[in-house]
Each structure stands twice: as C-alpha cells, then as structure tokens.
Amino acid sequence: MALKTPDAFKKDLVKRHLIMQTKQKDKLIQQLSRLKIDYHEEQDKIIADLKKHDVQKTIQSITVPLTYLDIHNPSLEDAYLELIGGEHAGN
C-alpha cells in the first residue's frame, strides 16, 4: 500500500470549493456550466466544486460581478474529520 503525502490525502478526501453570491445568478450558472464546473445552490449562494479545477483560473474566468466570494481550501484537520466521518466536526 502506497503512502500519500498530506496534500494528496487532503485532495482526495475533502472538496475544495468556491462560495459565491451575485445579483446575476443565472449568468453565473451559465458560466460555471460552460466551464464544466459542478455546482449546487445553498440558500442564496452558489457552491462551485473545484476538485478538478484550478482556483486562480476559475476566478479569472468568471466575468459576472460577485457580491460575495469565499474560497474553501481544506486543512489537514478537515481531511482527518472527513476520514473519520465528521462526527467530531465543530468541536
């Protein structure tokens, strides 16, 4: 069994994503679809899955004005919590 580096471990287990909000939600969704980026909606925000995409290139590709942008970049602790099932998340 091959051992993984901490970065590879994080990448495999925890999803890196963008959390965005805009007044032009339909246009943002069109752009994400064109870029072949998976996304889902949570309340008034769009969460874009960046597991297969570069954060910098993705942000540069978005031309819709954003009113909110947050980059979720998982820590090694996040990966560990994902591995054990997240039952200790938030503690």
Side-chain angles (χ1 to χ4, degrees):
M1 179 171 127
L3 296 177
K4 293 183 180 182
T5 66
D7 286 338
F9 181 68
K10 286 190 320 187
K11 186 176 181 182
D12 288 346
L13 286 177
V14 182
K15 292 183 180 179
R16 185 178 60 214
H17 56 268
L18 291 178
I19 304 167
M20 299 172 282
Q21 189 173 21
T22 180
K23 293 179 181 177
Q24 300 176 17
K25 189 184 250 184
D26 292 338
K27 287 185 180 182
L28 178 57
I29 289 171
Q30 287 175 352
Q31 287 185 355
L32 293 173
S33 295
R34 181 179 46 80
L35 295 167
K36 298 180 180 171
I37 296 173
D38 293 332
Y39 68 89
H40 67 277
E41 296 182 46
E42 284 185 16
Q43 298 173 359
D44 57 345
K45 293 183 175 65
I46 295 175
I47 314 299
D49 177 12
L50 297 181
K51 190 169 187 173
K52 300 176 185 176
H53 301 275
D54 180 80
V55 174
Q56 179 80 25
K57 289 179 183 177
T58 300
I59 292 171
Q60 288 175 330
S61 299
I62 296 171
T63 60
V64 174
L66 300 175
T67 56
Y68 179 85
L69 174 64
D70 187 22
I71 303 168
H72 174 73
N73 200 14
S75 67
L76 191 53
E77 180 182 5
D78 293 330
Y80 174 74
L81 292 174
E82 182 78 17
L83 180 67
I84 63 170
E87 66 261 12
H88 301 290
N91 291 338

Coordinates of all heavy atoms in Angstrom, one line a residue:
M1 N 0.8 -1.2 0.0 CA 0.0 0.0 0.0 C 0.9 1.3 0.0 O 1.8 1.4 0.8 CB -0.9 0.0 1.3 CG -1.8 1.2 1.4 SD -3.0 1.0 2.7 CE -2.7 2.4 3.6
A2 N 0.7 2.1 -0.9 CA 1.4 3.4 -1.0 C 0.9 4.4 -0.1 O -0.3 4.6 0.1 CB 1.4 3.9 -2.5
L3 N 1.9 5.1 0.6 CA 1.5 6.2 1.5 C 1.4 7.5 0.7 O 2.1 7.7 -0.3 CB 2.6 6.4 2.5 CG 2.8 5.2 3.5 CD1 3.9 5.5 4.4 CD2 1.5 4.9 4.3
K4 N 0.4 8.3 1.1 CA 0.1 9.5 0.4 C 0.7 10.7 1.2 O 0.8 10.6 2.4 CB -1.4 9.8 0.3 CG -2.0 8.8 -0.7 CD -3.5 9.2 -0.8 CE -4.2 8.2 -1.7 NZ -5.6 8.6 -1.9
T5 N 1.1 11.7 0.5 CA 1.5 13.0 1.1 C 0.3 13.6 1.8 O -0.8 13.3 1.4 CB 2.1 13.9 0.2 OG1 1.1 14.4 -0.8 CG2 3.3 13.3 -0.6
P6 N 0.5 14.5 2.8 CA -0.7 15.2 3.4 C -1.5 15.9 2.3 O -2.7 15.9 2.4 CB 0.0 16.1 4.4 CG 1.2 15.4 4.8 CD 1.7 14.8 3.5
D7 N -0.8 16.6 1.4 CA -1.6 17.3 0.3 C -2.4 16.4 -0.5 O -3.6 16.7 -0.9 CB -0.6 18.1 -0.5 CG -0.1 19.4 0.2 OD1 -0.8 19.8 1.2 OD2 0.9 19.9 -0.2
A8 N -1.9 15.2 -0.9 CA -2.6 14.3 -1.7 C -3.8 13.7 -0.9 O -4.9 13.5 -1.4 CB -1.7 13.2 -2.2
F9 N -3.5 13.5 0.4 CA -4.6 13.0 1.3 C -5.7 14.0 1.3 O -6.9 13.6 1.2 CB -3.9 12.8 2.7 CG -4.8 12.3 3.7 CD1 -5.4 11.0 3.7 CD2 -5.2 13.1 4.8 CE1 -6.2 10.5 4.7 CE2 -6.0 12.6 5.8 CZ -6.5 11.4 5.7
K10 N -5.4 15.3 1.5 CA -6.5 16.3 1.5 C -7.2 16.4 0.2 O -8.4 16.5 0.2 CB -5.8 17.7 1.8 CG -5.4 17.9 3.2 CD -5.0 19.3 3.5 CE -4.2 20.1 2.4 NZ -3.7 21.4 2.8
K11 N -6.5 16.4 -0.9 CA -7.1 16.5 -2.2 C -8.1 15.4 -2.5 O -9.2 15.6 -3.0 CB -6.0 16.5 -3.3 CG -6.6 16.8 -4.7 CD -5.5 16.9 -5.7 CE -6.1 17.2 -7.0 NZ -5.1 17.3 -8.1
D12 N -7.8 14.2 -2.0 CA -8.6 13.0 -2.3 C -9.9 13.0 -1.4 O -10.9 12.5 -1.8 CB -7.9 11.7 -2.1 CG -6.9 11.4 -3.2 OD1 -7.0 12.1 -4.2 OD2 -6.0 10.6 -3.0
L13 N -9.8 13.5 -0.2 CA -10.8 13.4 0.8 C -11.8 14.6 0.9 O -13.0 14.4 1.0 CB -10.3 13.1 2.2 CG -9.8 11.7 2.4 CD1 -9.2 11.6 3.8 CD2 -10.9 10.7 2.2
V14 N -11.2 15.8 0.8 CA -12.1 17.0 1.1 C -12.2 17.8 -0.2 O -11.2 18.1 -0.8 CB -11.4 17.8 2.3 CG1 -12.3 19.0 2.6 CG2 -11.3 16.9 3.5
K15 N -13.4 18.3 -0.4 CA -13.6 19.1 -1.6 C -13.2 20.6 -1.4 O -13.6 21.2 -0.4 CB -15.0 19.0 -2.0 CG -15.5 17.7 -2.5 CD -16.9 17.7 -3.0 CE -17.3 16.4 -3.5 NZ -18.7 16.4 -3.9
R16 N -12.4 21.1 -2.3 CA -12.1 22.5 -2.3 C -13.2 23.1 -3.2 O -13.6 22.6 -4.2 CB -10.7 22.7 -3.0 CG -10.2 24.1 -3.0 CD -8.8 24.1 -3.7 NE -8.9 23.6 -5.0 CZ -8.0 23.0 -5.7 NH1 -6.9 22.7 -5.1 NH2 -8.2 22.6 -6.9
H17 N -13.7 24.3 -2.7 CA -14.8 24.9 -3.5 C -14.8 26.4 -3.3 O -14.2 26.9 -2.3 CB -16.1 24.3 -3.1 CG -16.5 24.3 -1.7 ND1 -16.2 23.3 -0.8 CD2 -17.1 25.2 -0.9 CE1 -16.6 23.6 0.4 NE2 -17.2 24.8 0.4
L18 N -15.5 27.1 -4.2 CA -15.8 28.5 -4.1 C -17.2 28.7 -3.6 O -18.1 28.0 -4.1 CB -15.6 29.2 -5.5 CG -14.3 29.3 -6.1 CD1 -14.4 29.9 -7.5 CD2 -13.3 30.1 -5.2
I19 N -17.4 29.6 -2.8 CA -18.7 30.0 -2.3 C -19.0 31.4 -2.9 O -18.2 32.3 -2.6 CB -18.8 30.0 -0.8 CG1 -18.4 28.6 -0.2 CG2 -20.3 30.4 -0.4 CD1 -18.2 28.6 1.2
M20 N -20.0 31.6 -3.7 CA -20.2 32.8 -4.4 C -21.6 33.3 -4.3 O -22.6 32.5 -4.2 CB -19.9 32.7 -5.9 CG -18.4 32.3 -6.2 SD -18.1 31.8 -7.9 CE -18.9 30.2 -8.0
Q21 N -21.8 34.6 -4.4 CA -23.1 35.2 -4.5 C -23.0 36.3 -5.5 O -22.0 37.0 -5.6 CB -23.5 35.8 -3.1 CG -24.9 36.2 -2.9 CD -25.2 36.6 -1.5 OE1 -24.3 36.9 -0.7 NE2 -26.4 36.6 -1.1
T22 N -24.1 36.5 -6.2 CA -24.2 37.5 -7.3 C -25.7 37.9 -7.5 O -26.6 37.2 -7.2 CB -23.6 37.1 -8.6 OG1 -23.7 38.1 -9.6 CG2 -24.3 35.8 -9.1
K23 N -25.8 39.1 -8.0 CA -27.2 39.5 -8.4 C -27.6 39.0 -9.8 O -28.7 39.1 -10.2 CB -27.3 41.1 -8.4 CG -27.1 41.7 -7.1 CD -27.1 43.2 -7.1 CE -26.9 43.7 -5.7 NZ -26.9 45.2 -5.7
Q24 N -26.6 38.4 -10.5 CA -26.8 37.8 -11.8 C -26.6 36.3 -11.7 O -25.8 35.7 -12.4 CB -25.9 38.4 -12.8 CG -26.1 39.9 -12.9 CD -25.1 40.5 -13.9 OE1 -24.4 39.8 -14.7 NE2 -24.9 41.8 -13.8
K25 N -27.4 35.6 -10.9 CA -27.3 34.2 -10.6 C -27.3 33.3 -11.9 O -26.5 32.4 -12.0 CB -28.3 33.7 -9.6 CG -28.1 32.3 -9.1 CD -29.3 31.9 -8.2 CE -28.8 31.9 -6.8 NZ -29.9 31.4 -5.9
D26 N -28.3 33.6 -12.7 CA -28.5 32.8 -14.0 C -27.2 32.9 -14.8 O -26.8 31.9 -15.4 CB -29.7 33.3 -14.8 CG -31.0 32.9 -14.1 OD1 -31.0 32.0 -13.2 OD2 -32.0 33.6 -14.4
K27 N -26.6 34.1 -14.9 CA -25.4 34.2 -15.8 C -24.2 33.5 -15.1 O -23.4 32.9 -15.8 CB -25.0 35.7 -15.9 CG -26.0 36.4 -16.9 CD -25.5 37.8 -17.2 CE -26.4 38.5 -18.1 NZ -26.0 39.9 -18.4
L28 N -24.1 33.5 -13.8 CA -23.0 32.8 -13.1 C -23.2 31.3 -13.4 O -22.2 30.6 -13.7 CB -23.0 33.1 -11.6 CG -22.0 32.4 -10.8 CD1 -20.6 32.6 -11.3 CD2 -22.1 32.8 -9.4
I29 N -24.4 30.8 -13.3 CA -24.7 29.4 -13.5 C -24.3 29.0 -14.9 O -23.7 27.9 -15.2 CB -26.1 29.0 -13.2 CG1 -26.3 29.1 -11.6 CG2 -26.5 27.7 -13.7 CD1 -27.7 29.0 -11.2
Q30 N -24.6 29.8 -15.9 CA -24.3 29.6 -17.3 C -22.8 29.5 -17.4 O -22.2 28.6 -18.1 CB -24.8 30.7 -18.2 CG -26.3 30.6 -18.4 CD -26.8 31.8 -19.2 OE1 -26.1 32.8 -19.5 NE2 -28.1 31.8 -19.6
Q31 N -22.0 30.4 -16.8 CA -20.6 30.4 -16.9 C -20.0 29.2 -16.3 O -19.1 28.5 -16.8 CB -20.0 31.7 -16.2 CG -20.2 32.9 -17.1 CD -19.5 34.1 -16.5 OE1 -18.9 34.1 -15.4 NE2 -19.5 35.2 -17.2
L32 N -20.5 28.8 -15.1 CA -20.0 27.5 -14.5 C -20.3 26.3 -15.4 O -19.4 25.4 -15.5 CB -20.6 27.4 -13.1 CG -20.2 28.4 -12.1 CD1 -21.1 28.2 -10.8 CD2 -18.7 28.4 -11.8
S33 N -21.4 26.3 -16.0 CA -21.8 25.2 -16.9 C -20.8 25.1 -18.1 O -20.4 24.1 -18.5 CB -23.2 25.3 -17.3 OG -24.1 25.1 -16.2
R34 N -20.6 26.3 -18.6 CA -19.7 26.4 -19.8 C -18.3 25.9 -19.4 O -17.6 25.3 -20.2 CB -19.6 27.9 -20.3 CG -18.7 28.1 -21.5 CD -18.8 29.5 -22.0 NE -18.6 30.5 -21.0 CZ -17.5 30.9 -20.5 NH1 -16.4 30.3 -20.8 NH2 -17.5 31.9 -19.5
L35 N -17.8 26.2 -18.2 CA -16.5 25.8 -17.7 C -16.5 24.4 -17.2 O -15.5 23.9 -16.8 CB -16.1 26.8 -16.6 CG -15.8 28.2 -17.0 CD1 -15.7 29.1 -15.7 CD2 -14.6 28.4 -17.8
K36 N -17.6 23.7 -17.3 CA -17.8 22.3 -16.8 C -17.4 22.2 -15.3 O -16.7 21.2 -15.0 CB -17.0 21.4 -17.7 CG -17.5 21.4 -19.2 CD -16.7 20.5 -20.0 CE -17.3 20.7 -21.4 NZ -16.5 20.0 -22.4
I37 N -17.9 23.1 -14.6 CA -17.7 23.1 -13.1 C -19.0 22.7 -12.4 O -20.0 23.3 -12.6 CB -17.2 24.5 -12.6 CG1 -15.9 24.8 -13.2 CG2 -17.2 24.5 -11.1 CD1 -15.4 26.2 -12.9
D38 N -18.9 21.6 -11.7 CA -20.1 21.2 -10.9 C -20.4 22.2 -9.8 O -19.5 22.8 -9.2 CB -19.8 19.8 -10.3 CG -19.7 18.7 -11.3 OD1 -20.3 18.8 -12.4 OD2 -19.0 17.7 -11.0
Y39 N -21.6 22.4 -9.5 CA -22.0 23.4 -8.5 C -23.4 23.0 -7.9 O -24.1 22.1 -8.5 CB -22.2 24.8 -9.1 CG -23.3 24.9 -10.1 CD1 -24.6 25.3 -9.6 CD2 -23.2 24.6 -11.4 CE1 -25.7 25.3 -10.5 CE2 -24.2 24.7 -12.3 CZ -25.5 25.0 -11.8 OH -26.5 25.1 -12.7
H40 N -23.7 23.6 -6.8 CA -25.0 23.4 -6.2 C -25.4 24.7 -5.5 O -24.5 25.6 -5.3 CB -25.1 22.2 -5.3 CG -24.3 22.3 -4.0 ND1 -23.0 22.0 -4.0 CD2 -24.7 22.7 -2.8 CE1 -22.5 22.2 -2.7 NE2 -23.5 22.7 -2.0
E41 N -26.6 24.9 -5.2 CA -27.1 26.1 -4.5 C -27.4 25.8 -3.1 O -28.0 24.8 -2.7 CB -28.3 26.7 -5.2 CG -28.0 27.1 -6.6 CD -29.2 27.7 -7.3 OE1 -29.9 28.6 -6.7 OE2 -29.5 27.4 -8.5
E42 N -27.0 26.7 -2.2 CA -27.3 26.7 -0.8 C -27.8 28.1 -0.4 O -27.1 29.0 -0.4 CB -26.1 26.3 0.1 CG -25.7 24.9 0.0 CD -24.6 24.5 1.0 OE1 -24.3 25.4 1.9 OE2 -24.0 23.5 0.8
Q43 N -29.1 28.1 -0.1 CA -29.8 29.4 0.2 C -29.5 30.4 -1.0 O -29.9 30.1 -2.1 CB -29.3 29.9 1.5 CG -29.7 29.0 2.7 CD -29.1 29.5 4.0 OE1 -28.4 30.4 4.1 NE2 -29.4 28.7 5.0
D44 N -28.9 31.5 -0.7 CA -28.7 32.4 -1.8 C -27.3 32.4 -2.4 O -26.9 33.3 -3.1 CB -29.0 33.9 -1.3 CG -28.1 34.2 -0.1 OD1 -27.5 33.3 0.5 OD2 -28.1 35.4 0.2
K45 N -26.5 31.4 -2.1 CA -25.1 31.2 -2.5 C -25.0 30.1 -3.5 O -25.7 29.1 -3.4 CB -24.2 31.1 -1.4 CG -24.1 32.4 -0.5 CD -23.1 32.2 0.6 CE -23.0 33.5 1.4 NZ -24.1 34.0 2.1
I46 N -24.0 30.2 -4.4 CA -23.6 29.1 -5.3 C -22.3 28.5 -4.8 O -21.3 29.2 -4.6 CB -23.6 29.6 -6.7 CG1 -25.0 30.1 -7.2 CG2 -23.1 28.5 -7.7 CD1 -25.0 30.7 -8.5
I47 N -22.3 27.2 -4.7 CA -21.1 26.5 -4.2 C -20.5 25.7 -5.4 O -21.2 24.9 -6.0 CB -21.4 25.5 -3.1 CG1 -22.3 26.1 -2.0 CG2 -20.1 24.9 -2.5 CD1 -21.8 27.3 -1.3
A48 N -19.3 26.1 -5.9 CA -18.7 25.5 -7.1 C -17.6 24.5 -6.6 O -16.7 24.9 -5.9 CB -18.1 26.6 -8.0
D49 N -17.7 23.3 -7.1 CA -16.7 22.3 -6.7 C -15.5 22.4 -7.6 O -15.5 22.4 -8.8 CB -17.4 20.9 -7.0 CG -16.4 19.7 -6.7 OD1 -15.3 20.0 -6.1 OD2 -16.8 18.6 -7.1
L50 N -14.3 22.6 -6.9 CA -13.1 22.8 -7.7 C -12.1 21.7 -7.6 O -10.9 21.9 -7.8 CB -12.4 24.1 -7.1 CG -13.2 25.4 -7.4 CD1 -12.5 26.6 -6.8 CD2 -13.6 25.6 -8.8
K51 N -12.6 20.5 -7.3 CA -11.7 19.4 -7.1 C -10.9 19.1 -8.4 O -9.7 18.8 -8.3 CB -12.5 18.1 -6.8 CG -11.6 16.9 -6.4 CD -12.4 15.8 -5.8 CE -11.5 14.8 -5.3 NZ -12.2 13.7 -4.6
K52 N -11.4 19.4 -9.5 CA -10.7 19.2 -10.8 C -10.3 20.5 -11.5 O -9.9 20.5 -12.6 CB -11.6 18.4 -11.8 CG -12.1 17.1 -11.2 CD -13.0 16.4 -12.2 CE -13.5 15.1 -11.6 NZ -14.6 14.5 -12.4
H53 N -10.4 21.6 -10.8 CA -10.2 22.9 -11.4 C -9.2 23.7 -10.6 O -9.2 23.6 -9.3 CB -11.5 23.7 -11.6 CG -12.4 22.9 -12.5 ND1 -12.4 23.0 -13.9 CD2 -13.5 22.1 -12.2 CE1 -13.4 22.3 -14.4 NE2 -14.0 21.7 -13.4
D54 N -8.5 24.6 -11.2 CA -7.5 25.5 -10.6 C -8.3 26.7 -10.0 O -9.1 27.3 -10.8 CB -6.5 25.9 -11.6 CG -5.5 26.9 -11.0 OD1 -4.6 26.4 -10.3 OD2 -5.6 28.1 -11.2
V55 N -8.1 27.1 -8.8 CA -8.8 28.2 -8.2 C -8.6 29.5 -8.9 O -9.5 30.2 -9.3 CB -8.4 28.3 -6.7 CG1 -9.1 29.6 -6.1 CG2 -8.8 27.1 -5.9
Q56 N -7.3 29.8 -9.1 CA -7.0 31.1 -9.8 C -7.6 31.2 -11.2 O -8.2 32.2 -11.5 CB -5.5 31.2 -9.9 CG -5.0 32.5 -10.6 CD -5.0 33.7 -9.7 OE1 -4.9 33.5 -8.4 NE2 -5.1 34.8 -10.2
K57 N -7.5 30.1 -12.0 CA -8.0 30.2 -13.3 C -9.6 30.3 -13.3 O -10.1 30.9 -14.2 CB -7.6 28.9 -14.1 CG -6.1 29.0 -14.5 CD -5.7 27.7 -15.2 CE -4.2 27.8 -15.5 NZ -3.8 26.5 -16.2
T58 N -10.2 29.6 -12.4 CA -11.6 29.6 -12.3 C -12.1 31.0 -11.9 O -13.0 31.6 -12.6 CB -12.1 28.6 -11.2 OG1 -11.7 27.3 -11.6 CG2 -13.6 28.7 -11.1
I59 N -11.5 31.7 -10.9 CA -11.9 33.0 -10.6 C -11.7 34.0 -11.7 O -12.5 34.8 -12.0 CB -11.1 33.5 -9.3 CG1 -11.6 32.7 -8.1 CG2 -11.4 35.0 -9.1 CD1 -10.7 32.9 -6.9
Q60 N -10.6 33.8 -12.4 CA -10.3 34.7 -13.6 C -11.3 34.5 -14.7 O -11.6 35.4 -15.5 CB -8.9 34.5 -14.1 CG -7.8 35.1 -13.2 CD -6.4 34.7 -13.6 OE1 -6.2 33.7 -14.3 NE2 -5.5 35.6 -13.3
S61 N -11.9 33.3 -14.8 CA -12.8 33.0 -15.9 C -14.2 33.5 -15.6 O -15.0 33.6 -16.5 CB -12.9 31.5 -16.1 OG -11.7 31.0 -16.5
I62 N -14.5 33.9 -14.4 CA -15.8 34.4 -14.0 C -15.9 35.9 -14.3 O -15.1 36.6 -13.7 CB -16.1 34.1 -12.5 CG1 -16.2 32.5 -12.3 CG2 -17.4 34.7 -12.1 CD1 -16.3 32.1 -10.9
T63 N -16.8 36.3 -15.2 CA -16.9 37.7 -15.5 C -18.1 38.3 -14.9 O -18.2 39.6 -15.0 CB -17.0 37.8 -17.1 OG1 -18.2 37.1 -17.5 CG2 -15.8 37.3 -17.8
V64 N -19.0 37.6 -14.3 CA -20.2 38.1 -13.6 C -19.7 38.8 -12.3 O -18.9 38.2 -11.5 CB -21.2 37.0 -13.2 CG1 -22.3 37.5 -12.4 CG2 -21.7 36.3 -14.5
P65 N -20.1 40.0 -12.0 CA -19.8 40.7 -10.8 C -20.3 39.9 -9.6 O -21.5 39.6 -9.5 CB -20.4 42.1 -10.9 CG -20.8 42.2 -12.3 CD -21.0 40.9 -12.9
L66 N -19.4 39.6 -8.6 CA -19.8 38.9 -7.4 C -20.0 39.8 -6.3 O -19.2 40.8 -6.1 CB -18.7 37.8 -7.1 CG -18.4 36.8 -8.2 CD1 -17.2 35.9 -7.7 CD2 -19.6 35.9 -8.4
T67 N -21.0 39.6 -5.5 CA -21.2 40.3 -4.3 C -20.6 39.7 -3.1 O -20.4 40.3 -2.0 CB -22.7 40.6 -4.0 OG1 -23.3 39.3 -3.9 CG2 -23.3 41.4 -5.1
Y68 N -20.2 38.4 -3.2 CA -19.6 37.6 -2.2 C -18.7 36.5 -2.8 O -19.1 35.9 -3.7 CB -20.6 37.0 -1.2 CG -20.1 36.1 -0.1 CD1 -19.6 36.7 1.1 CD2 -19.9 34.8 -0.3 CE1 -19.1 36.0 2.1 CE2 -19.4 34.0 0.8 CZ -19.0 34.6 1.9 OH -18.5 33.8 2.9
L69 N -17.5 36.3 -2.3 CA -16.6 35.3 -2.7 C -15.8 34.7 -1.5 O -15.2 35.5 -0.8 CB -15.7 35.8 -3.8 CG -14.6 34.8 -4.3 CD1 -15.2 33.5 -4.9 CD2 -13.6 35.4 -5.2
D70 N -15.9 33.4 -1.4 CA -15.1 32.8 -0.3 C -14.4 31.5 -0.9 O -15.1 30.8 -1.7 CB -15.9 32.4 0.9 CG -15.1 31.9 2.1 OD1 -13.9 32.2 2.2 OD2 -15.7 31.2 2.9
I71 N -13.2 31.3 -0.6 CA -12.5 30.1 -1.1 C -12.4 29.1 0.1 O -11.8 29.5 1.1 CB -11.1 30.4 -1.6 CG1 -11.2 31.4 -2.8 CG2 -10.4 29.1 -2.1 CD1 -9.9 32.0 -3.2
H72 N -13.0 28.0 -0.1 CA -12.8 26.9 1.0 C -11.7 26.0 0.5 O -11.8 25.3 -0.4 CB -14.1 26.1 1.2 CG -13.9 25.0 2.1 ND1 -13.8 25.1 3.5 CD2 -13.8 23.6 1.9 CE1 -13.7 23.9 4.0 NE2 -13.6 23.0 3.1
N73 N -10.6 26.1 1.3 CA -9.4 25.3 1.0 C -9.2 24.4 2.2 O -8.8 24.9 3.3 CB -8.2 26.2 0.7 CG -7.1 25.5 0.0 OD1 -7.3 24.4 -0.6 ND2 -5.9 26.1 0.0
P74 N -9.5 23.1 2.1 CA -9.5 22.3 3.3 C -8.1 22.2 3.9 O -7.1 22.2 3.3 CB -9.9 20.9 2.7 CG -9.6 21.0 1.3 CD -9.7 22.4 0.9
S75 N -8.1 22.1 5.3 CA -6.9 21.8 6.0 C -6.7 20.3 6.2 O -7.6 19.5 5.9 CB -7.1 22.5 7.4 OG -8.1 21.8 8.2
L76 N -5.6 20.0 6.7 CA -5.3 18.5 7.0 C -6.3 18.1 8.1 O -6.8 16.9 8.0 CB -3.9 18.3 7.5 CG -3.4 16.9 7.6 CD1 -3.7 16.1 6.2 CD2 -2.0 16.9 7.9
E77 N -6.7 18.9 9.0 CA -7.7 18.6 10.0 C -9.0 18.3 9.4 O -9.7 17.4 9.8 CB -7.8 19.7 11.0 CG -8.8 19.4 12.1 CD -9.0 20.5 13.1 OE1 -8.4 21.6 12.9 OE2 -9.8 20.3 14.1
D78 N -9.4 19.1 8.4 CA -10.7 18.9 7.6 C -10.7 17.5 7.0 O -11.6 16.7 7.0 CB -10.9 19.9 6.5 CG -11.2 21.3 7.1 OD1 -11.7 21.4 8.2 OD2 -10.8 22.3 6.4
A79 N -9.5 17.1 6.4 CA -9.4 15.8 5.8 C -9.5 14.7 6.8 O -10.2 13.7 6.6 CB -8.0 15.7 5.0
Y80 N -8.9 14.9 7.9 CA -9.0 13.9 9.0 C -10.4 13.7 9.5 O -10.9 12.6 9.6 CB -8.1 14.3 10.2 CG -8.2 13.4 11.4 CD1 -7.7 12.1 11.3 CD2 -8.9 13.8 12.5 CE1 -7.8 11.2 12.4 CE2 -9.1 12.9 13.6 CZ -8.5 11.7 13.5 OH -8.7 10.8 14.6
L81 N -11.1 14.8 9.7 CA -12.5 14.8 10.1 C -13.4 14.1 9.1 O -14.3 13.3 9.4 CB -13.0 16.1 10.4 CG -12.4 16.8 11.7 CD1 -12.9 18.2 11.8 CD2 -12.7 16.0 12.9
E82 N -13.1 14.3 7.8 CA -13.8 13.7 6.7 C -13.5 12.2 6.7 O -14.4 11.3 6.6 CB -13.4 14.2 5.4 CG -14.1 13.7 4.2 CD -15.5 14.2 4.0 OE1 -15.8 15.3 4.6 OE2 -16.3 13.6 3.3
L83 N -12.3 11.8 7.0 CA -11.9 10.4 7.0 C -12.6 9.6 8.2 O -13.1 8.5 8.0 CB -10.4 10.3 7.2 CG -9.8 8.8 7.3 CD1 -10.0 8.2 5.9 CD2 -8.4 8.9 7.7
I84 N -12.7 10.2 9.3 CA -13.4 9.6 10.5 C -14.9 9.7 10.5 O -15.5 9.3 11.4 CB -12.7 10.0 11.8 CG1 -13.0 11.4 12.1 CG2 -11.3 9.6 11.9 CD1 -12.6 11.9 13.5
G85 N -15.4 10.4 9.5 CA -16.8 10.5 9.4 C -17.4 11.8 9.8 O -18.6 12.0 9.8
G86 N -16.6 12.7 10.2 CA -17.1 14.1 10.6 C -17.9 14.1 11.9 O -18.4 15.1 12.2
E87 N -17.9 13.0 12.6 CA -18.7 13.1 13.9 C -18.1 14.0 14.9 O -18.8 14.4 15.8 CB -18.9 11.7 14.5 CG -17.6 11.0 15.0 CD -17.0 10.0 14.0 OE1 -17.4 10.0 12.9 OE2 -16.0 9.3 14.4
H88 N -16.9 14.4 14.7 CA -16.3 15.4 15.7 C -16.2 16.8 15.1 O -15.6 17.7 15.7 CB -14.9 14.9 16.1 CG -14.9 13.6 16.7 ND1 -15.4 13.3 18.0 CD2 -14.4 12.4 16.3 CE1 -15.3 12.0 18.2 NE2 -14.7 11.4 17.2
A89 N -16.8 17.0 13.9 CA -16.7 18.3 13.3 C -17.4 19.3 14.2 O -18.4 19.1 14.8 CB -17.4 18.3 11.9
G90 N -16.8 20.5 14.2 CA -17.3 21.6 15.0 C -16.9 21.6 16.5 O -17.2 22.5 17.2
N91 N -16.1 20.6 16.9 CA -15.6 20.6 18.3 C -14.2 21.2 18.3 O -13.4 21.2 17.5 CB -15.5 19.2 18.8 CG -16.9 18.6 19.0 OD1 -17.9 19.4 19.1 ND2 -17.0 17.3 19.0

